[in-house]
Amino acid sequence: VKFKQLQIENFLAITEATIAMADRGLCLIQGENQDDTSADSNGAGKSSIADALCWALYGTTARGVSGDDVINDKAGKGCMVGVRIEDGADTFIIRRHRKHKTGKNSVTIVQLDFAKPGVETDLTLGTDRLTQDRIDKIIGCPYEVFRAAVYAGQEQMPDLPAMTDKQLKLLLEEAAGVSLLEEAYADARKRLAAKTELYDKGVAHISRIESNQVAELARLSTIQASETKWQTEQTAKIDYIKREIADLREKIIAADKAYDTTRLPAIESALAEISKKVSGIKEEKGKLSIMDKAVADAVLKEASFNSDITRSRNIVAKEKGNLSKVHSEIGCPCPECARPLTAVEVEPRQKVIEVRIAEERAKIERLKQRQEDAHKVTQKLADERNVFSASMTDATVMLNQQASLMREKQNLRDQLGRMGDQRRLAVTKLDAMKALIAEKNPYSDMIAGTNAMCNALRDELDAAQKAQKVRSRDMEIAKSVAKVFSPAGVRAHILDEITPFLNGQTAKYLGALSDGNISATWSTLSRTTKGELRERFVIEVENTKGAKSFHGLSGGEKRKVRIACALALQDLVARRAVKPIELFIGDEIDDALDGHGLERLMGILEEKAMERGSVFVISHRSLRDWISNMLLVVKTDKGSTVEEVAL
Ligand SMILES: Nc1ncnc2c1ncn2[C@@H]1O[C@H](COP(=O)(O)OP(=O)(O)O)[C@@H](O)[C@H]1O
Ligand SMILES: [Mg+2]
């Protein structure tokens, strides 16, 4: 970074100045106080120039003045300091204002384009703070480093040897550009954290898959056990039904064997025969009953003669009575003539009666004959009937036989029925067995599903583990990167590198300033009592002819050490790869140096100016013997202005 031009308006003592700052070699800033002759050059406004640069860049001055106090008293307003900066091909102008007509209290950055002269691109950001960050980036150097390595203020010459480890570390890291590594380190750690998170997520993912796998395998073995159990039970069921079927078969075969197929038809024909016979018996019975009737009729007919005979006998008896009556009338008066009736007179009547009796008796005889005939018929019919009856078939035997055959037939039918039942049962059982054999193990599908799940999980695990390998490698790389940028990594390496450089430069400057009596040694790393490397920033100072520490040195010696250390640090800032700063301002750097020391310092600064471009030395002493390039700050009652003086 080159500071090309400084433009000052109403800043501290300076009313107005435009100063070219780049590639000036060794340049002396001297003052002339025409306002106060007693003050010689003091108070002319020399330091105000350096402070103007510092204020423009950082908003604060080496002397600690800020706010409205920086405005030139006489002007009271319109304070502005502009710095034109070249960084490679880019040119920026930083302008800081205080009570400025247009700029108010703002700080602005513009970029210039060589292709379009006069065109300024505004890079100012929303807040001064953001704009300041942008400025720090452009300069590539924070305030502390600027103060320690670029602008050694008059009163605040950086007391590097007296600095604490922490302060020195900050300065050195900034000066060496290591703080950039800090950002890189933060980035690397962020990346590492991201990679670690991914890795951890991967671990969690894998363990989730693994636990799923364990669960799934457990499920699988449970289902497999169930499958086996089902199969065993199923086999037992099939075996049982098989045995049942075998038993049935045996029974059926035995029953078949035992069953006489000829028997039922035989029974049927026997029964048919019996049936026929039984119907014959009916006919016989019919005939018998007809004969019975004939016998009964004959008996009736025979008996029917009895009444006729009885009537005829009664008539005979009555007539016998009549005869005796008529006989008894002999000698009895005639009813008509009342003379006694003679035997002759009554005889006719007796004769009639006697004829009648004889007739009746003949009738009886005839009737008896006929009855006798009828009886003979009856006898004959009864004999015939008895003969027929005796010849009739015996039904009891037949019926017994029939009943027995029927029973046997029923038994055979039952037997056939049972055999049919058994056959049907056997068929049913056979079907059931077939169904059992055909039945699919319900766990098989589940096992297939679970197996598929296990396989999928295994594949998933493989993929996850592969991915995890990549993540692990990524994480290891990120770790290595972080390690590289860590304090123990490149930072330590760089700090380790810069130490010899700083020591070399310091020794060079201190040797020149002190004739080699005083040594100042920078160290950035030290070993602990355990021998571990640890960052420790310190400048150890020793006077071979006296004090063993910085504090024991005289004021002049201390100043020499401070100058040497500051110059060495400036060299470090100037030479670092990122944004070297090609400027050094030593304000009253010659103070407290004797003539000899002054001469040596001037030699050193001249060399430095040749190497670095511009070195400004502010001094109230006349150093014209050594410096040919000079800015003269002239203070009048109107304020201070700056003149270029060619010597
Ligand atoms: N705001 C200001 N306006 C005008 N003059 C100021 C202001 N602040 C300080 N001064 C004066 O400027 C002078 C200091 O200028 P400085 O640059 O330190 O002088 P030098 O370095 O040449 O001795 C002093 O006389 C001081 O009173
Ligand atoms: Mg001064």
Side-chain angles (χ1 to χ4, degrees), residues 11-14 31 33 41-49 51 63 65 68-74 154-155 587-588 618 633 635 640:
F11 179 82
L12 291 181
I14 316 276
N33 197 339
S41 83
N42 279 331
K46 304 184 294 294
S47 299
S48 296
I49 294 174
D51 267 346
R63 72 184 72 185
V65 175
D68 286 345
D69 292 347
V70 301
I71 306 167
N72 180 264
D73 279 349
K74 292 207 173 83
Q154 180 176 353
E155 284 150 59
D587 194 352
E588 308 282 0
I618 299 171
V633 185
K635 185 172 190 179
S640 297

Side-chain angles (χ1 to χ4, degrees), residues 498-518:
I498 65 166
T499 320
F501 173 79
L502 283 171
N503 284 332
Q505 295 303 99
T506 307
K508 186 175 98 185
Y509 297 131
L510 205 51
L513 292 170
S514 76
D515 282 331
N517 293 332
I518 307 168

